Structures are given as structure tokens and as C-alpha cells.
Amino acid sequence: MRKIIISIIAVSLLIIGCKKSNNYNYVFATGGTSGTYYSFGGSIASIWNANIEGMNVTAQSTGASAENLRLLNRHEADLAFVQNDVMDYAYNGTDIFANEVLTNFSAMLTLYPEIVQIAASKESGIKSIADMKGKRVSVGDAGSGVEFNAKQILETYGLSFNDINKANLSFKESSDGLQNGTLDACFIVAGIPNAALQELSLSKDIVLISLDKIQVDELLNKYKYYIEITIPANTYNGVTTDTAAIAVKASIAVNNNIPEDVVYNLMKTLFDKKADLSIAHSKGEELDIDSAPKGISIPFHPGAIKYYQELGYSIGQ
């Protein structure tokens, strides 16, 4: 009888162990609690948790892209929202990550464009990037992805930070600077419409600076994480023409240690349940399988490659 009881306990423990092995507890590093990354990350996590057996993904508030990649590299996060240009910097040890190469992550997909929006007050007289010489321009927070986007764009026009009166300000501070006249122009990298610019345009005449075709082509050729995009007319009050721009893309990176089949299921579920995701968050409407692999300049995770190739997309590692 005692042997039977012991056998039953052993079998029970084995069953429990098997069940536990099918549970996935993952941390999804997102962004600040008031931003898109955090809210959209929570919606994505809910889709995964509701549709994949044993899946438990927790959206965690963080300092966004650069911090998220370091969290992945230290195994303190399993999935992360990141801008695709910042992924490139980290993987190659350049710009923000100069002399700091991170390799314990790979790409899953891109989600939506974060457009480099270049706004100027109408009275500044700025109509082109070339007109920024000697002007007061905010290029985002010091060391941010925005600052490097601004640097790269200025360089295509033969300008550097030494040619402008540079300020390192947040989006809200940049908007306030245009409003009160302490700034002439600013760079903002975000989805459209950006709340700070939207609010500014209601009380101040602004212009959005279009990039010239020659410079756009140069940027696209030199930096593989950029895409060409148009900001539609009337996105902001008083801006009645389309604006030629470039964009980086909000993306999901994943720790290399997550198994191939798990990442495949995460990908498949996200696209299978796109309708549910669109209801949960407006950014879900921008999820598109054709554009999902575009703008990625680092290796994809094998699970993502399997999903893309299954649908006929030619994706390499």
C-alpha cells in the first residue's frame, strides 16, 4: 500500500512538473506609464496571455528603447519595445551605444512608424533644413535617439550641431519654446499626431519642414533603419500640405534565449488576433505583415524567421 501511495505521489509530482514546464512567465519592457509603449505593450501582452496556453507576459514600465535593450542583454527582460534605429546602435556599438556592443537580443517585428517631425515657427522664416544655420533648434534630450536622428539629417545638408544654436529639450519643452519664442525649430520623433505639436498648432502658426528627395535618398542608403514616409496635410492645424519625411519604427526585440516555437507562437497569435488588438488599442490597426520585417537591420529571431518564411517572405538571419 505504501509503495502504491509513493508511486501516486511520484506520478502527481511528474504531472505538476510537466504543467509547470509549459508555463511561460515573461517580462515585456515597454516605456513610461503615460506613453504609447506602455499602453500598447499592455494590450499586446493581454492578447498573448488570453490566446496562448500557459503564457503570462507582464508589461513593465521602463525608460524605453536604450534601457530596454540593456534589460534584455542582462536577462532582466524577455521582450521589449525599441526603436529600430536604437537596436542598430546597440547591436553595432555605435552612437548612443558607442563602445558598448549588446548582442543578447534579436528582432521580431516592427509595429508602426515613429516619424521624424521637424517643426518651426512661421515667423522664424525656416522653410528648409538648410535655413536652420544660426537658428535656435531643439534636437531632443541629450543622448536620445532623437538627437542622433537630428544629427544625421543635418549632416545630409552639410550642417552640424556647431552650425545651430542647439538645445536639448523634451517634446513638451520644445513645444513650449516654439510657443514663447525662445526656439525657432525642433525635432520630434513620434507617431502622428504628436500631442505636444497638436496642442501647439492650435495656438501658434507652425510649419513642418519637408526633406528634399536627394537628402531622403542619402539617408535611406546610409542608414538601413529609416523608411520614407509622408505626413498628410492637416495632421496639424494650419499645416495644409503634405510633408516629406523619414521615420524609424517602433519594434519588438526579444531575448535570444526564448525558444523558437514560443516566438513563432507570439508572432502568429499577434497577427491572427489583429482585430482584437485593434479594438484594444488604436495602434493595433497599424500592424501589417507586409511592413513588419521592413526597417530591421539586425538579425531576426529564428522563431520570427520561421513565421515570415511560412507566409512566403524571404527573411534571412
Side-chain angles (χ1 to χ4, degrees):
M1 183 68 181
R2 186 168 178 270
K3 288 183 179 180
I4 293 173
I5 293 172
I6 292 173
S7 296
I8 292 172
I9 292 172
V11 170
S12 298
L13 290 173
L14 181 61
I15 291 171
I16 291 169
C18 289
K19 286 183 177 179
K20 283 185 177 179
S21 68
N22 291 327
N23 288 340
Y24 305 101
N25 296 299
Y26 293 139
V27 172
F28 188 1
T30 59
T33 54
S34 62
T36 301
Y37 280 6
Y38 182 73
S39 59
F40 193 26
S43 298
I44 291 172
S46 295
I47 294 293
W48 284 333
N49 296 341
N51 293 283
I52 301 176
E53 185 176 356
M55 185 60 64
N56 181 30
V57 177
T58 302
Q60 177 176 296
S61 174
T62 67
S65 295
E67 180 184 342
N68 290 351
L69 288 166
R70 293 186 175 105
L71 290 171
L72 285 179
N73 203 60
R74 296 196 302 262
H75 300 280
E76 293 175 18
D78 306 288
L79 302 124
F81 258 123
V82 293
Q83 284 185 193
N84 62 336
D85 56 335
V86 181
M87 276 199 298
D88 186 278
Y89 301 152
Y91 192 81
N92 293 295
T94 62
D95 299 304
I96 301 170
F97 289 88
N99 303 315
E100 182 190 3
V101 177
L102 307 183
T103 58
N104 188 39
F105 70 93
S106 46
M108 280 181 63
L109 75 163
T110 66
L111 296 161
Y112 60 89
E114 296 188 293
I115 301 172
V116 183
Q117 301 166 68
I118 309 164
S121 60
K122 189 162 283 189
E123 66 262 28
S124 71
I126 297 174
K127 297 179 181 178
S128 165
I129 298 297
D131 297 330
M132 287 187 173
K133 189 169 184 176
K135 299 292 187 178
R136 302 163 299 175
V137 183
S138 172
V139 296
D141 291 320
S144 67
V146 181
E147 186 176 46
F148 284 97
N149 299 145
K151 176 176 177 287
Q152 292 158 3
I153 290 171
L154 287 167
E155 284 175 350
T156 64
Y157 284 84
L159 300 176
S160 72
F161 286 156
N162 292 330
D163 295 308
I164 63 173
N165 187 354
K166 180 173 77 82
N168 289 109
L169 301 173
S170 69
F171 295 165
K172 181 63 168 64
E173 290 168 335
S174 297
S175 172
D176 290 344
L178 287 178
Q179 176 67 56
N180 61 36
T182 58
L183 282 180
D184 297 307
C186 67
F187 286 77
I188 287 179
V189 181
I192 55 172
N194 170 260
L197 284 182
Q198 195 170 38
E199 182 179 345
L200 174 66
S201 70
L202 296 175
S203 58
K204 182 84 172 181
D205 289 334
I206 65 168
V207 295
L208 289 185
I209 309 302
S210 274
L211 298 179
D212 298 293
K213 181 63 176 172
I214 293 174
Q215 280 74 21
V216 168
D217 289 343
E218 181 179 337
L219 287 160
L220 296 181
N221 288 330
K222 189 173 183 180
Y223 306 105
K224 300 306 180 185
Y225 41 77
Y226 282 128
I227 61 170
E228 187 174 3
I229 202 163
T230 298
I231 302 173
N234 301 310
T235 296
Y236 298 106
N237 185 58
V239 182
T240 56
T241 57
D242 291 347
T243 303
I246 57 171
V248 292
K249 299 187 78 176
S251 310
I252 297 179
V254 59
N255 190 290
N256 288 338
N257 292 345
I258 297 184
E260 177 181 325
D261 64 318
V262 173
V263 172
Y264 171 87
N265 284 331
L266 292 172
M267 290 281 294
K268 188 175 189 305
T269 300
L270 206 55
F271 285 99
D272 286 351
K273 299 297 179 181
K274 179 185 173 178
D276 294 341
L277 184 61
S278 299
I279 293 170
H281 197 285
S282 60
K283 283 298 178 187
E285 297 175 5
E286 298 186 49
L287 183 67
D288 176 64
I289 186 58
D290 288 332
S291 63
K294 293 179 180 177
I296 296 294
S297 56
I298 70 160
F300 284 92
H301 189 281
I305 293 173
K306 180 181 178 182
Y307 181 73
Y308 289 125
Q309 291 181 340
E310 190 176 89
L311 296 181
Y313 293 89
S314 178
I315 302 294
Q317 289 187 324

